Amino acid sequence: MKPLHHPSIDTIPYTKVLHALSEPNRLRIIRCLRESGENNCSTYSLELMLNKSTVSHHIKILREAGLIKGRIEGKEHYYSLRKDEIEQKFPGLLSSVFAVKDEDL
Amino acid sequence: MKPLHHPSIDTIPYTKVLHALSEPNRLRIIRCLRESGENNCSTYSLELMLNKSTVSHHIKILREAGLIKGRIEGKEHYYSLRKDEIEQKFPGLLSSVFAVKDEDL
DNA sequence: CTTTTAGTTTGATGGTTATCGAACTATAAA
DNA sequence: TTTATAGTTCGATAACCATCAAACTAAAAG
């Protein structure tokens, strides 16, 4: 069980964050995390109707872009938004993401 | 000389806009347009050290994502930001783009 | 200990993208 | 009319990406 790596926000280019957010399923994951605070992968496999390996892939990209952080509890992985850090480094970005209407994704 | 097509902002998904902005050279073009108001392609060929066909490609993606509009004058094409429309549809997004420091792109 | 459950990793596939050079179009200049 | 200039389009290439299934890892349940 290797621990999850969470990059320092300072090392992450803005374009990398935008790229992570520019995939519709990943954007849905981020928006879902705002509502629920914390979720695990099986939640998204169900909600997005994606294979679990695909979800794992998207989660990894979001994590490496500094957008989410993970916590392992038993055999479940829980993820949450790195809200304050992102807001500190890239002010207004997450507000913009959450302001968008579902039908405009 | 077929006229340039500018899609209505209402037809453009947020993820498409993010994707257009997630490429560093395209993001530089957008940020440059904020400063200068209007520019043509040769400006960017020089500034970004890219082949003119590559610049043309990026400009097209930005235009089709609803971010810029073009005006043809003689043999030069001038581009400008669709600032107000974007701000109306996706509030805060452009502010976030302009708030980023050059070294964090 | 065996089985189930949650998730990652790997390999493959089909699609997309950034880049360039060459050919093309259209306007302006000589 | 010939030439130069600004930009688009096309074709090719190499890299990247979203997706899935299969194999793997680790923890919980039986």
PDB file of all heavy atoms in Angstrom, chain A residues 78-92:
ATOM      1  N   TYR A  78     -10.878   7.693  -0.055  1.00  0.00           N
ATOM      2  CA  TYR A  78     -11.765   8.848  -0.013  1.00  0.00           C
ATOM      3  C   TYR A  78     -11.051  10.062  -0.551  1.00  0.00           C
ATOM      4  O   TYR A  78      -9.883  10.319  -0.222  1.00  0.00           O
ATOM      5  CB  TYR A  78     -12.236   9.109   1.419  1.00  0.00           C
ATOM      6  CG  TYR A  78     -13.152   8.032   1.923  1.00  0.00           C
ATOM      7  CD1 TYR A  78     -12.661   6.949   2.641  1.00  0.00           C
ATOM      8  CD2 TYR A  78     -14.518   8.084   1.642  1.00  0.00           C
ATOM      9  CE1 TYR A  78     -13.508   5.949   3.091  1.00  0.00           C
ATOM     10  CE2 TYR A  78     -15.369   7.092   2.094  1.00  0.00           C
ATOM     11  CZ  TYR A  78     -14.856   6.019   2.816  1.00  0.00           C
ATOM     12  OH  TYR A  78     -15.682   5.027   3.240  1.00  0.00           O
ATOM     13  N   TYR A  79     -11.764  10.829  -1.377  1.00  0.00           N
ATOM     14  CA  TYR A  79     -11.161  12.004  -1.999  1.00  0.00           C
ATOM     15  C   TYR A  79     -11.905  13.260  -1.607  1.00  0.00           C
ATOM     16  O   TYR A  79     -13.120  13.243  -1.384  1.00  0.00           O
ATOM     17  CB  TYR A  79     -11.143  11.840  -3.520  1.00  0.00           C
ATOM     18  CG  TYR A  79     -10.173  10.778  -3.945  1.00  0.00           C
ATOM     19  CD1 TYR A  79     -10.591   9.475  -4.193  1.00  0.00           C
ATOM     20  CD2 TYR A  79      -8.813  11.078  -4.049  1.00  0.00           C
ATOM     21  CE1 TYR A  79      -9.679   8.491  -4.546  1.00  0.00           C
ATOM     22  CE2 TYR A  79      -7.908  10.096  -4.405  1.00  0.00           C
ATOM     23  CZ  TYR A  79      -8.347   8.808  -4.655  1.00  0.00           C
ATOM     24  OH  TYR A  79      -7.451   7.835  -4.996  1.00  0.00           O
ATOM     25  N   SER A  80     -11.139  14.353  -1.542  1.00  0.00           N
ATOM     26  CA  SER A  80     -11.760  15.648  -1.255  1.00  0.00           C
ATOM     27  C   SER A  80     -11.023  16.746  -2.027  1.00  0.00           C
ATOM     28  O   SER A  80      -9.895  16.562  -2.481  1.00  0.00           O
ATOM     29  CB  SER A  80     -11.716  15.938   0.249  1.00  0.00           C
ATOM     30  OG  SER A  80     -10.373  15.923   0.690  1.00  0.00           O
ATOM     31  N   LEU A  81     -11.693  17.858  -2.194  1.00  0.00           N
ATOM     32  CA  LEU A  81     -11.146  18.996  -2.922  1.00  0.00           C
ATOM     33  C   LEU A  81     -10.067  19.713  -2.111  1.00  0.00           C
ATOM     34  O   LEU A  81     -10.219  19.890  -0.912  1.00  0.00           O
ATOM     35  CB  LEU A  81     -12.261  20.007  -3.180  1.00  0.00           C
ATOM     36  CG  LEU A  81     -12.910  20.055  -4.540  1.00  0.00           C
ATOM     37  CD1 LEU A  81     -13.886  21.213  -4.591  1.00  0.00           C
ATOM     38  CD2 LEU A  81     -11.878  20.179  -5.627  1.00  0.00           C
ATOM     39  N   ARG A  82      -9.016  20.144  -2.796  1.00  0.00           N
ATOM     40  CA  ARG A  82      -8.022  21.003  -2.138  1.00  0.00           C
ATOM     41  C   ARG A  82      -8.441  22.461  -2.354  1.00  0.00           C
ATOM     42  O   ARG A  82      -7.730  23.272  -2.950  1.00  0.00           O
ATOM     43  CB  ARG A  82      -6.638  20.737  -2.722  1.00  0.00           C
ATOM     44  CG  ARG A  82      -6.163  19.314  -2.441  1.00  0.00           C
ATOM     45  CD  ARG A  82      -4.840  19.020  -3.099  1.00  0.00           C
ATOM     46  NE  ARG A  82      -3.739  19.763  -2.499  1.00  0.00           N
ATOM     47  CZ  ARG A  82      -2.461  19.610  -2.869  1.00  0.00           C
ATOM     48  NH1 ARG A  82      -2.136  18.744  -3.829  1.00  0.00           N
ATOM     49  NH2 ARG A  82      -1.511  20.309  -2.290  1.00  0.00           N
ATOM     50  N   LYS A  83      -9.619  22.751  -1.839  1.00  0.00           N
ATOM     51  CA  LYS A  83     -10.321  24.005  -2.131  1.00  0.00           C
ATOM     52  C   LYS A  83      -9.505  25.251  -1.783  1.00  0.00           C
ATOM     53  O   LYS A  83      -9.286  26.119  -2.638  1.00  0.00           O
ATOM     54  CB  LYS A  83     -11.632  23.988  -1.328  1.00  0.00           C
ATOM     55  CG  LYS A  83     -12.691  24.962  -1.736  1.00  0.00           C
ATOM     56  CD  LYS A  83     -14.017  24.580  -1.064  1.00  0.00           C
ATOM     57  CE  LYS A  83     -15.094  25.619  -1.321  1.00  0.00           C
ATOM     58  NZ  LYS A  83     -14.755  26.934  -0.765  1.00  0.00           N
ATOM     59  N   ASP A  84      -9.064  25.331  -0.548  1.00  0.00           N
ATOM     60  CA  ASP A  84      -8.389  26.551  -0.102  1.00  0.00           C
ATOM     61  C   ASP A  84      -7.062  26.772  -0.815  1.00  0.00           C
ATOM     62  O   ASP A  84      -6.724  27.891  -1.204  1.00  0.00           O
ATOM     63  CB  ASP A  84      -8.160  26.499   1.419  1.00  0.00           C
ATOM     64  CG  ASP A  84      -9.485  26.518   2.180  1.00  0.00           C
ATOM     65  OD1 ASP A  84     -10.505  26.896   1.568  1.00  0.00           O
ATOM     66  OD2 ASP A  84      -9.490  26.147   3.365  1.00  0.00           O
ATOM     67  N   GLU A  85      -6.312  25.693  -0.996  1.00  0.00           N
ATOM     68  CA  GLU A  85      -5.020  25.834  -1.662  1.00  0.00           C
ATOM     69  C   GLU A  85      -5.178  26.302  -3.107  1.00  0.00           C
ATOM     70  O   GLU A  85      -4.434  27.165  -3.581  1.00  0.00           O
ATOM     71  CB  GLU A  85      -4.274  24.499  -1.638  1.00  0.00           C
ATOM     72  CG  GLU A  85      -3.857  24.049  -0.250  1.00  0.00           C
ATOM     73  CD  GLU A  85      -3.443  22.586  -0.262  1.00  0.00           C
ATOM     74  OE1 GLU A  85      -4.346  21.708  -0.173  1.00  0.00           O
ATOM     75  OE2 GLU A  85      -2.235  22.317  -0.368  1.00  0.00           O
ATOM     76  N   ILE A  86      -6.150  25.701  -3.803  1.00  0.00           N
ATOM     77  CA  ILE A  86      -6.400  26.099  -5.195  1.00  0.00           C
ATOM     78  C   ILE A  86      -6.855  27.556  -5.260  1.00  0.00           C
ATOM     79  O   ILE A  86      -6.390  28.332  -6.107  1.00  0.00           O
ATOM     80  CB  ILE A  86      -7.474  25.190  -5.824  1.00  0.00           C
ATOM     81  CG1 ILE A  86      -6.991  23.747  -5.886  1.00  0.00           C
ATOM     82  CG2 ILE A  86      -7.856  25.681  -7.208  1.00  0.00           C
ATOM     83  CD1 ILE A  86      -6.017  23.493  -6.984  1.00  0.00           C
ATOM     84  N   GLU A  87      -7.745  27.904  -4.352  1.00  0.00           N
ATOM     85  CA  GLU A  87      -8.236  29.282  -4.343  1.00  0.00           C
ATOM     86  C   GLU A  87      -7.106  30.277  -4.067  1.00  0.00           C
ATOM     87  O   GLU A  87      -7.065  31.368  -4.630  1.00  0.00           O
ATOM     88  CB  GLU A  87      -9.356  29.418  -3.305  1.00  0.00           C
ATOM     89  CG  GLU A  87      -9.834  30.837  -3.058  1.00  0.00           C
ATOM     90  CD  GLU A  87     -10.409  31.515  -4.298  1.00  0.00           C
ATOM     91  OE1 GLU A  87     -10.801  30.810  -5.256  1.00  0.00           O
ATOM     92  OE2 GLU A  87     -10.459  32.769  -4.313  1.00  0.00           O
ATOM     93  N   GLN A  88      -6.196  29.858  -3.201  1.00  0.00           N
ATOM     94  CA  GLN A  88      -5.042  30.706  -2.873  1.00  0.00           C
ATOM     95  C   GLN A  88      -4.149  30.934  -4.086  1.00  0.00           C
ATOM     96  O   GLN A  88      -3.758  32.047  -4.406  1.00  0.00           O
ATOM     97  CB  GLN A  88      -4.238  30.027  -1.753  1.00  0.00           C
ATOM     98  CG  GLN A  88      -2.833  30.551  -1.541  1.00  0.00           C
ATOM     99  CD  GLN A  88      -2.804  31.732  -0.594  1.00  0.00           C
ATOM    100  OE1 GLN A  88      -3.678  31.854   0.254  1.00  0.00           O
ATOM    101  NE2 GLN A  88      -1.815  32.592  -0.750  1.00  0.00           N
ATOM    102  N   LYS A  89      -3.872  29.820  -4.810  1.00  0.00           N
ATOM    103  CA  LYS A  89      -2.937  29.908  -5.932  1.00  0.00           C
ATOM    104  C   LYS A  89      -3.593  30.445  -7.195  1.00  0.00           C
ATOM    105  O   LYS A  89      -2.989  31.224  -7.936  1.00  0.00           O
ATOM    106  CB  LYS A  89      -2.341  28.519  -6.211  1.00  0.00           C
ATOM    107  CG  LYS A  89      -1.273  28.476  -7.292  1.00  0.00           C
ATOM    108  CD  LYS A  89       0.051  29.071  -6.837  1.00  0.00           C
ATOM    109  CE  LYS A  89       1.101  29.132  -7.913  1.00  0.00           C
ATOM    110  NZ  LYS A  89       1.571  27.815  -8.353  1.00  0.00           N
ATOM    111  N   PHE A  90      -4.813  30.008  -7.458  1.00  0.00           N
ATOM    112  CA  PHE A  90      -5.523  30.416  -8.684  1.00  0.00           C
ATOM    113  C   PHE A  90      -6.886  31.009  -8.327  1.00  0.00           C
ATOM    114  O   PHE A  90      -7.932  30.370  -8.554  1.00  0.00           O
ATOM    115  CB  PHE A  90      -5.672  29.227  -9.620  1.00  0.00           C
ATOM    116  CG  PHE A  90      -4.375  28.571  -9.999  1.00  0.00           C
ATOM    117  CD1 PHE A  90      -4.162  27.232  -9.742  1.00  0.00           C
ATOM    118  CD2 PHE A  90      -3.371  29.297 -10.626  1.00  0.00           C
ATOM    119  CE1 PHE A  90      -2.969  26.614 -10.101  1.00  0.00           C
ATOM    120  CE2 PHE A  90      -2.175  28.690 -10.979  1.00  0.00           C
ATOM    121  CZ  PHE A  90      -1.967  27.351 -10.721  1.00  0.00           C
ATOM    122  N   PRO A  91      -6.901  32.222  -7.839  1.00  0.00           N
ATOM    123  CA  PRO A  91      -8.140  32.798  -7.292  1.00  0.00           C
ATOM    124  C   PRO A  91      -9.258  32.856  -8.346  1.00  0.00           C
ATOM    125  O   PRO A  91      -9.031  33.257  -9.479  1.00  0.00           O
ATOM    126  CB  PRO A  91      -7.720  34.209  -6.880  1.00  0.00           C
ATOM    127  CG  PRO A  91      -6.239  34.217  -6.827  1.00  0.00           C
ATOM    128  CD  PRO A  91      -5.776  33.165  -7.770  1.00  0.00           C
ATOM    129  N   GLY A  92     -10.437  32.431  -7.931  1.00  0.00           N
ATOM    130  CA  GLY A  92     -11.606  32.557  -8.798  1.00  0.00           C
ATOM    131  C   GLY A  92     -11.850  31.371  -9.702  1.00  0.00           C
ATOM    132  O   GLY A  92     -12.940  31.238 -10.263  1.00  0.00           O
TER     133      GLY A  92
END
